[in-house]
């Protein structure tokens, strides 16, 4: 069963320190989402490491329940919001 | 699952080929939009690559995820280094970082955009 946008956002917020998360529903099919994750925790990390932080927050759901989630990570210098 | 054998195989493949694409499906017949997008980027740049279809080899399909600590396909390797999946490849292509990386590693791009 696919996850909904709020669950995805909540898990990422809980797992990535200070994350500000925006989920875009790409096709309205409950499968194809894009997650835009902003966090100061990404600063100084490679893109791969940033994405791995998001995957860790999703606790194994990436590639299983979530096979069509596009991830965009944005390092932010000072913490927003 | 003892990963040693498949990890050795992967290490060999990514060191023997400048650019390696692990795909769902083949480069000619990708079976997933994300894999197709990665193939499109490298075709567009005119970069030679070696592609592996993980759908034909379940040991590779699971082994590559463990190898890179990356839960999805496609996966892109340049000169033995894991670059990322579809999102990162497209972001790097859009920003020009991918072209710069390939250039820096001495990889020919027959039509660098």
């Amino acid at each position: 069963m696919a996850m909904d946008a709020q669950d995805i956002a909540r898990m990422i917020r809980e797992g990535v320190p200070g994350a500000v998360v925006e989920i875009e529903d790409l096709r309205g099919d409950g499968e194809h989402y894009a997650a835009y994750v902003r966090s100061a925790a990404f600063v100084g990390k490679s893109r791969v490491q940033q994405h791995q932080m998001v995957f860790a927050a999703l606790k194994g759901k990436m590639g299983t329940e979530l096979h069509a989630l596009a991830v965009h990570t944005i390092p932010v210098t000072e913490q927003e919001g | 699952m003892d990963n040693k054998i498949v990890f050795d195989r992967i290490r060999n493949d990514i060191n023997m080929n400048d650019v390696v694409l692990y795909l769902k499906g083949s480069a000619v017949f990708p079976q997933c939009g994300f894999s197709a997008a990665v193939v499109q980027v490298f075709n567009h740049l005119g970069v030679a690559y070696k592609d592996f279809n993980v759908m034909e080899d379940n040991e590779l399909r699971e082994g590559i995820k463990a190898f890179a600590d990356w839960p999805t396909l496609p996966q892109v390797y340049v000169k033995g280094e894991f670059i990322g999946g579809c999102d990162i490849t497209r972001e790097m292509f859009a920003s020009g970082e991918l072209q710069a990386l390939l250039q820096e590693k001495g990889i020919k791009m027959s039509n660098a955009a």
Side-chain angles (χ1 to χ4, degrees), chain A residues 59-71:
Chain A
K59 298 189 175 73
K61 293 185 186 301
M62 192 66 187
T64 51
E65 282 174 61
L66 287 170
H67 65 275
L69 172 68
V71 172

Side-chain angles (χ1 to χ4, degrees), chain B residues 16 22 32 47 57 64 79 97 100 110 112:
Chain B
M16 296 284 286
Y22 290 95
C32 123
V47 168
D57 181 339
I64 195 68
K79 290 273 189 183
E97 279 175 77
S110 62

